[in-house]
Amino acid sequence: MPRVWRELLLGQLTAGIVIRGPYRNFGQGGLQGAFLSGVLANLYLTKVDRRCLAAGLHLVRYGDDFAIATPGGRPSRGSM
């Protein structure tokens, strides 16, 4: 991973927030709703996307939310 990417990730994971005036920094984790959530979802779920498409599943994904449309029943459960 390029150094600049690591620096951006670290900056997002250690960023603080302003809550009703004062600055607060919890020192760990990503902020809910930050752009990093979608970026990480895309990085980690690309393999899932490809496997679902290769299996013939109809996948719709937006960030870390997704839906898989199937005709229903036992065969659908087996494909997962």
Side-chain angles (χ1 to χ4, degrees):
M1 176 184 301
R3 180 179 178 185
V4 67
W5 289 11
R6 285 193 306 270
E7 290 172 359
L8 288 170
L9 285 171
L10 182 60
Q12 282 291 305
L13 292 174
T14 58
I17 57 174
V18 175
I19 301 175
R20 295 189 183 115
Y23 172 81
R24 300 199 51 193
N25 189 326
F26 299 102
Q28 63 183 8
L31 299 174
Q32 185 173 356
F35 81 92
L36 187 60
S37 175
V39 171
L40 292 176
N42 286 332
L43 287 172
Y44 285 104
L45 294 175
T46 298
K47 200 180 273 190
V48 172
D49 296 344
R50 291 183 180 148
R51 289 186 72 185
C52 287
L53 294 173
L57 298 173
H58 299 283
L59 171 72
V60 177
R61 184 168 67 79
Y62 182 80
D64 59 354
D65 297 322
F66 62 91
I68 299 173
T70 66
R74 193 174 302 268
S76 300
R77 283 188 223 105
S79 64
M80 297 304 292

